[in-house]
Amino acid sequence: MRYDYLIVGAGFAGSVMAERLASQLNKKVLVVEKRNHIAGNAYDEFDEHGILVHRYGPHIFHTNSKEVFDYLSQFTEWIPYEHKVLAKIGNELYPIPINRITINKLYNLNLKTDEEVKNYFESVKEKRFPILNSEDIIVNQVGKDLFEKFFKHYTKKQWNLEANQLSPSVCGRIPVRTNDDCRYFTDKYQFMPKDGYTKMFEKILNHKNIEVILDTDYKSILDSIKFDKMIYTGPIDYFFDYKFGKLPYRSIRFEFRNLPQVQYQETAQINYVDESVEFTRVIEHKLLSQQNSDTTTISFEYPQKDGEPYYPVPNEENRNQYLLYKKETEKFKNVIFCGRLAEYQYYNMDQAVANTIKVFEDL
Ligand code: FAD
Ligand code: UDP
């Protein structure tokens, strides 16, 4: 069988690209996925207790892009969902992103206006210039104490690096607020796919020109299929047989537990920002999909070095190593590198979709 395109990976990048090529250009596409399911890290499924769980950590869809929202809306209905996260320090819970409620509770204050909170941050922040890393970006806004309480240990656990060894963009993902908005994201569109992500991916990939093979590393079939072009969404260092060394990717061990109680925690996500707790966060899955059930399933996240590569690790050293690989891609005119692992970019889902659509349009 001859294909126009071989697509490596059935996550957002691979699946959206397959859909575009098949539906817009009538191309014959083979998608090869090494795991035993589609949807990449957004994969969800019902566990044995009937609860929809996100197998690779909580995936909350949020975007300001109408284009991305409209595109995905062809494949799913949505339920409104605004994510809220609490950070646990000792036995107390505080809103994260840091906001007025966080400050008042933590320091026993009674700040009433945005202006008062702004003045508070002014009085505690340490000027850092230029902003070179993830410590600078937080300390420059809220000072050392808040940095140490909410960011220092969580960051060390998540990345096994100090915040000052990571690019500002990592902790810079988390805003600092002067109001009492407790939502994790403020994007215009915040939803969960009504029947889950996997169902949405089934629809994305449901096209007569698209064939999907699971449980298969693309390298094992290269000799047995014919194709004109490849879209590669796996780790870029693997493509090149690690010729410039292994790029650091961060992994996580997810430990799932079902409990015989209706609800375990106040919000879908609680971040354990203390040094003394080994895991980073606990997710209560039914609260993401707003499912009713007599029991509840939670998952603990233990970051680790080895295992499935979930996160690129953003800092200058890794970026330089990635650029060696990127330069090498120029020699492969028939391969397009796209997605979080192939571009070594800490993309959210909407960014992965927007980027893939752009790559498709530039083909
Ligand atoms: P992936 O989903 O990683 O897909 C790549 C696919 O390629 C994988 O399925 C992989 O198995 C396959 N592959 C790799 N190598 C090979 C090979 N050799 N042969 C065949 N197949 C191969 N984003 C949000 O917007 N909101 C969130 O709340 C959110 N939460 C997240 C939580 C966690 C714990 C993680 C890890 C990510 C989260 N994300 C979130 C980010 C989101 O998962 C990514 O933006 C998205 O998955 C990127 O899609 P992708 O296709 O680039 O990569
Ligand atoms: N972070 C932190 N404390 C928190 C939340 C986030 O230190 O309570 C830092 C940490 O380094 C984390 C980064 O900010 O990796 C980005 O957080 P986000 O919640 O966006 O991470 P993701 O959901 O992508 O794992």
Side-chain angles (χ1 to χ4, degrees), residues 30-208:
L30 176 66
V31 180
V32 55
E33 166 58 57
K34 80 177 166 56
R35 299 191 219 179
N36 64 2
H37 59 73
I38 57 171
N41 290 333
Y43 177 69
D44 54 14
E45 63 175 349
F46 288 93
D47 69 4
E48 68 264 41
H49 309 280
I51 294 167
L52 186 66
V53 296
H54 293 196
R55 280 291 171 213
Y56 306 101
H59 276 70
I60 293 95
F61 180 76
H62 59 100
T63 190
N64 283 317
S65 164
K66 182 173 182 319
E67 190 196 1
V68 169
F69 180 68
D70 287 347
Y71 172 75
L72 291 176
S73 301
Q74 300 174 78
F75 310 104
T76 187
E77 290 174 45
W78 302 96
I79 41 177
Y81 173 74
E82 290 187 325
H83 197 48
K84 290 191 179 152
V85 180
L86 292 164
K88 191 160 192 179
I89 302 180
N91 286 324
E92 293 295 329
L93 296 168
Y94 304 89
I96 178 96
I98 293 169
N99 66 13
R100 182 153 59 87
I101 300 167
T102 315
I103 300 300
N104 281 337
K105 180 167 178 186
L106 192 63
Y107 299 116
N108 205 12
L109 295 170
N110 191 18
L111 306 177
K112 291 201 173 67
T113 62
D114 282 32
E115 194 59 21
E116 284 177 345
V117 182
K118 189 166 159 267
N119 291 340
Y120 180 81
F121 289 144
E122 286 294 327
S123 73
V124 291
K125 77 180 195 191
E126 262 177 39
K127 181 108 191 109
R128 298 269 172 111
F129 185 81
I131 304 288
L132 296 175
N133 57 56
S134 264
E135 178 180 316
D136 288 344
I137 198 167
I138 300 299
V139 170
N140 186 59
Q141 298 176 82
V142 299
K144 260 288 176 50
D145 192 51
L146 287 164
F147 165 75
E148 282 176 2
K149 285 192 164 74
F150 289 92
F151 290 90
K152 185 180 167 62
H153 309 300
Y154 185 103
T155 297
K156 181 74 204 301
K157 291 192 284 187
Q158 170 72 12
W159 303 97
N160 196 29
L161 290 171
E162 298 295 339
N164 65 15
Q165 298 173 295
L166 285 161
S167 124
S169 62
V170 176
C171 288
R173 286 166 62 86
I174 314 300
V176 171
R177 304 210 177 109
T178 52
N179 58 20
D180 58 4
D181 187 345
C182 289
R183 295 171 306 161
Y184 207 60
F185 309 109
T186 50
D187 302 53
K188 184 163 171 201
Y189 305 96
Q190 302 188 46
F191 292 97
M192 291 301 237
K194 184 166 164 275
D195 300 314
Y197 287 95
T198 307
K199 283 275 176 259
M200 178 175 82
F201 274 80
E202 282 171 9
K203 292 215 169 109
I204 294 174
L205 289 166
N206 180 18
H207 191 284
K208 65 177 178 14

Side-chain angles (χ1 to χ4, degrees), residues 8-15 32-35 37-42 56-62 83 173 185 197 216-219 232-235 238 252 254 281 301 308-311 338-342 346-352:
V8 179
F12 271 100
S15 301
V32 55
E33 166 58 57
K34 80 177 166 56
R35 299 191 219 179
H37 59 73
I38 57 171
N41 290 333
Y56 306 101
H59 276 70
I60 293 95
F61 180 76
H62 59 100
H83 197 48
R173 286 166 62 86
F185 309 109
Y197 287 95
T216 308
D217 186 313
Y218 82 103
K219 286 191 184 177
Y232 182 76
T233 78
Y238 178 72
I252 296 178
F254 297 97
R281 56 191 184 185
E301 297 189 12
E308 198 63 49
Y310 296 128
Y311 294 85
C338 180
R340 181 154 147 139
L341 306 171
Y346 193 167
Y347 285 139
N348 291 325
M349 294 183 282
D350 64 322
Q351 296 168 316

Side-chain angles (χ1 to χ4, degrees), residues 173-340:
R173 286 166 62 86
I174 314 300
V176 171
R177 304 210 177 109
T178 52
N179 58 20
D180 58 4
D181 187 345
C182 289
R183 295 171 306 161
Y184 207 60
F185 309 109
T186 50
D187 302 53
K188 184 163 171 201
Y189 305 96
Q190 302 188 46
F191 292 97
M192 291 301 237
K194 184 166 164 275
D195 300 314
Y197 287 95
T198 307
K199 283 275 176 259
M200 178 175 82
F201 274 80
E202 282 171 9
K203 292 215 169 109
I204 294 174
L205 289 166
N206 180 18
H207 191 284
K208 65 177 178 14
N209 292 346
I210 303 177
E211 198 180 313
V212 180
I213 350 180
L214 300 176
D215 277 320
T216 308
D217 186 313
Y218 82 103
K219 286 191 184 177
S220 71
I221 56 160
L222 278 181
D223 291 340
S224 53
I225 48 160
K226 292 199 171 24
F227 56 91
D228 292 337
K229 291 199 172 170
M230 184 195 287
I231 310 285
Y232 182 76
T233 78
I236 190 166
D237 56 350
Y238 178 72
F239 181 91
F240 290 105
D241 298 320
Y242 310 110
K243 69 187 286 186
F244 302 117
K246 272 198 156 188
L247 266 173
Y249 290 95
R250 198 74 177 140
S251 192
I252 296 178
R253 177 169 65 85
F254 297 97
E255 196 178 295
F256 283 82
R257 241 181 256 173
N258 180 265
L259 305 172
Q261 63 199 71
V262 172
Q263 192 165 338
Y264 174 73
Q265 60 191 27
E266 261 176 63
T267 49
Q269 180 176 330
I270 294 196
N271 288 357
Y272 286 73
V273 295
D274 283 347
E275 194 179 8
S276 57
V277 182
E278 207 190 323
F279 46 83
T280 47
R281 56 191 184 185
V282 177
I283 308 304
E284 184 159 11
H285 291 262
K286 67 193 279 187
L287 301 182
L288 296 171
S289 50
Q290 297 146 68
Q291 211 186 322
N292 292 316
S293 60
D294 296 338
T295 70
T296 192
T297 301
I298 58 175
S299 59
F300 298 78
E301 297 189 12
Y302 294 88
Q304 60 184 21
K305 179 167 175 285
D306 297 320
E308 198 63 49
Y310 296 128
Y311 294 85
V313 183
N315 66 23
E316 206 180 321
E317 189 185 340
N318 301 343
R319 170 97 190 138
N320 289 336
Q321 192 182 353
Y322 161 71
L323 289 175
L324 295 175
Y325 282 112
K326 182 165 163 50
K327 183 106 191 67
E328 206 64 8
T329 65
E330 290 165 12
K331 295 183 189 155
F332 289 76
K333 298 286 177 225
N334 287 333
V335 183
I336 289 157
F337 294 81
C338 180
R340 181 154 147 139

